[in-house]
């Protein structure tokens, strides 16, 4: 029990890194139900203890973060939920990402349905092979294999992949703005999936130990991945080494706008449409613009600073500095469409301009 509680505490704190860390709680609960010894009453008792402890840590962190000055939650609950539409969007994005993960698949410029059909055939073929492998092992062989470390490891990988995708899909459907559905967010699933492929090779080797050519499958798999991905990885690494990316890019680190923000006196509060970037690179608290964070349209002719009920605007009217990056225009474009230029103009109408920079 003490180790279970300690594990739940650290699992709950995973939320401090990214909200997707909540997937660990779901994966851990599934693991306890399926892979720990004891009856169902004992398992459910452990799940409740685990879930309550981990959830308490997450809630504590969320409450603490919400009361910090100048900190705004990057996401809110989606008000108007179109469940089927959002799930369809997530499905299409998942298929596109998984297709790119297949070695050499990007050389085949196929539309959505053929890609989905091809991946379904590959998955079904692998499942059939595994079924035949377990059948060939016999009851004794299967029982011995399921108790082996490699089988338990693969079970943990499957549970975590499922929990991660379900958690990300739920956030994609119910949060506003939705999280990115891309290679970066699904990177934990990528390397876990590769491990599962090689675990499958081990299953085949256990089922047919006399077939020596099966022992070449891992090396063939590594060779295929190397041929497919090493060239593009080298190009990516070379570009990152030279120019960096994101907050660590040369362009961002040499930003004239950020240099101007660093020069501001310490007693001047900062408000920005890119508050995380300012906080990270300048090392000072920064208020967010609610219009950007919550994606709620405001009256088209309203000016920033005129709303006495919003903390960032009150701070601005009392001597704060409003820092707008060029990204502000496309951040609100989904709210105003063709009226975005008018909204940008009204947003800063009659405000005193301290400086204007390239970014």
């Amino acid at each position: 029990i003490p180790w279970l509680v300690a594990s739940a505490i650290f699992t709950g704190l995973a939320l401090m890194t990214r909200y997707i860390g909540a997937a660990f709680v779901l994966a851990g609960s599934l693991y306890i139900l399926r892979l720990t010894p004891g009856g169902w009453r004992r398992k459910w008792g452990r799940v409740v203890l685990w879930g309550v402890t981990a959830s308490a840590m997450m809630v504590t962190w969320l409450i603490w973060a919400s009361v910090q000055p100048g900190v705004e939650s990057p996401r809110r609950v989606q008000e108007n939920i179109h469940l089927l539409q959002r799930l369809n969007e997530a499905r299409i994005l998942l298929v596109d990402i998984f297709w790119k993960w297949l070695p050499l698949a990007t050389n085949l410029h196929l539309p959505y349905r053929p890609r989905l059909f091809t991946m379904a055939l590959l998955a079904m073929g692998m499942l059939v092979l595994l079924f035949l492998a377990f059948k060939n092992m016999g009851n004794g062989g299967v029982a011995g294999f399921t108790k082996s470390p490699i089988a338990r490891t693969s079970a943990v990988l499957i549970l975590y992949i499922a929990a991660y995708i379900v958690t990300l899909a739920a956030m994609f459907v119910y949060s506003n703005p939705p999280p990115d559905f891309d290679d970066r967010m699904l990177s934990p699933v990528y390397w876990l999936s590769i491990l599962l492929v090689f675990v499958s090779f081990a299953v085949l080797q256990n089922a047919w130990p006399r077939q020596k050519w099966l022992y070449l499958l891992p090396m063939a798999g590594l060779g295929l991945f190397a041929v497919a991905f090493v060239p593009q990885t080298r190009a990516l690494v070379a570009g990152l080494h030279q120019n960096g990316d994101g907050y660590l890019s040369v362009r961002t680190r040499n930003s004239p706008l950020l240099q101007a923000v660093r020069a501001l006196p310490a007693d001047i509060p900062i408000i920005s449409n890119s508050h995380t970037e300012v906080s990270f690179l300048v090392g000072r608290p920064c208020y967010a613009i609610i219009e950007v964070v919550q994606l709620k349209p405001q009256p088209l002719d309203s000016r920033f600073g005129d709303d006495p009920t919003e903390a960032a605007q009150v701070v601005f009217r009392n001597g704060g500095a409003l820092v707008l990056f060029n990204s502000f225009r496309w951040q609100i474009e989904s709210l105003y469409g063709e009226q975005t230029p008018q909204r940008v103009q009204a947003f800063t109408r009659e405000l005193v301009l301290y400086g204007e920079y390239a970014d």
Side-chain angles (χ1 to χ4, degrees):
I1 296 299
W3 285 108
L4 184 68
V5 172
S7 174
I9 290 173
F10 286 106
T11 300
L13 292 176
L15 194 73
M16 296 172 62
T17 58
R18 293 190 73 90
Y19 289 141
I20 194 63
F24 284 109
V25 179
L26 177 58
S29 300
L30 293 174
Y31 177 85
I32 293 171
L33 284 176
R34 298 300 302 168
L35 299 174
T36 56
W40 284 106
R41 177 178 293 183
R42 183 180 182 184
K43 290 183 177 182
W44 276 108
R46 289 177 174 177
V47 168
V48 171
L49 177 61
W50 161 276
V52 169
T53 305
S55 299
M57 300 307 300
M58 292 192 293
V59 171
T60 301
W61 160 251
L62 291 173
I63 292 174
W64 180 86
S66 66
V67 299
Q68 299 305 303
V71 175
E72 296 289 344
S73 174
R75 292 185 174 88
R76 297 289 190 276
V77 176
Q78 180 72 262
E79 294 180 355
N80 299 315
I81 299 174
H82 303 284
L83 182 60
L84 292 180
Q85 178 183 346
R86 299 295 289 169
L87 287 176
N88 282 333
E89 292 176 12
R91 173 174 53 84
I92 293 172
L93 290 171
L94 271 177
V95 170
D96 181 62
I97 293 169
F98 289 165
W99 179 256
K100 291 188 296 184
W101 288 356
L102 294 177
L104 306 177
T106 53
N107 296 327
L108 303 174
H109 302 287
L110 299 179
Y112 169 77
R113 289 190 181 277
R115 282 183 291 169
L116 180 60
F117 182 71
T118 302
M119 288 191 294
L121 280 180
L122 290 173
M124 289 298 297
M126 198 65 187
L127 289 175
V128 169
L129 274 177
L130 292 175
F131 172 78
L132 294 175
F134 283 119
K135 186 177 180 180
N136 190 67
M137 288 182 189
N139 292 334
V142 171
F145 180 80
T146 54
K147 295 178 181 179
S148 65
I150 191 172
R152 298 185 69 86
T153 300
S154 61
V156 172
L157 297 181
I158 292 172
L159 291 176
Y160 182 71
I161 289 174
Y164 191 95
I165 293 177
V166 168
T167 304
L168 184 59
M171 293 179 63
F172 187 80
V173 171
Y174 292 106
S175 65
N176 182 28
D180 296 330
F181 234 77
D182 54 17
D183 293 316
R184 177 178 59 87
M185 286 299 294
L186 285 165
S187 56
V189 174
Y190 176 69
W191 69 268
L192 293 177
S193 301
I194 293 177
L195 286 178
L196 276 180
V197 170
F198 286 93
V199 167
S200 301
F201 292 160
V203 173
L204 299 180
Q205 293 166 5
N206 275 272
W208 295 286
R210 295 183 180 181
Q211 301 296 325
K212 301 303 181 182
W213 64 270
L214 289 175
Y215 292 88
L216 298 177
L217 285 179
M219 290 182 285
L222 285 175
L224 186 59
F225 274 93
V227 170
F229 297 118
V230 166
Q232 65 188 60
T233 302
R234 288 184 61 186
L236 175 63
V237 171
L240 292 175
H241 179 72
Q242 183 175 359
N243 301 313
D245 191 34
Y247 291 171
L248 300 179
S249 67
V250 174
R251 177 188 58 80
T252 302
R253 285 181 290 163
N254 296 333
S255 164
L257 180 54
L258 288 175
Q259 292 177 10
V261 174
R262 293 187 184 97
L264 291 174
D267 59 343
I268 295 182
I270 304 170
I271 309 98
S272 178
N273 66 301
S274 188
H275 61 288
T276 55
E277 181 176 355
V278 172
S279 297
F280 180 75
L281 294 173
V282 178
R284 291 176 54 176
C286 182
Y287 287 86
I289 297 174
I290 302 301
E291 192 169 345
V292 172
V293 174
Q294 298 185 6
L295 289 181
K296 290 185 177 180
Q298 303 297 315
L300 198 62
D301 60 346
S302 62
R303 182 180 62 172
F304 187 80
D306 289 347
D307 184 357
T309 64
E310 205 270 293
Q313 298 195 44
V314 173
V315 167
F316 173 69
R317 297 304 297 180
N318 290 328
L322 177 62
V323 180
L324 293 179
F325 291 82
N326 291 332
S327 56
F328 178 60
R329 181 181 296 271
W330 63 259
Q331 284 175 331
I332 63 173
E333 193 169 12
S334 62
L335 299 178
Y336 304 105
E338 296 180 353
Q339 295 179 312
T340 300
Q342 295 95 301
R343 176 62 190 134
V344 173
Q345 186 175 5
F347 190 87
T348 58
R349 186 181 64 248
E350 298 178 359
L351 299 182
V352 177
L353 181 64
Y354 175 84
E356 188 171 3
Y357 307 91
D359 52 346

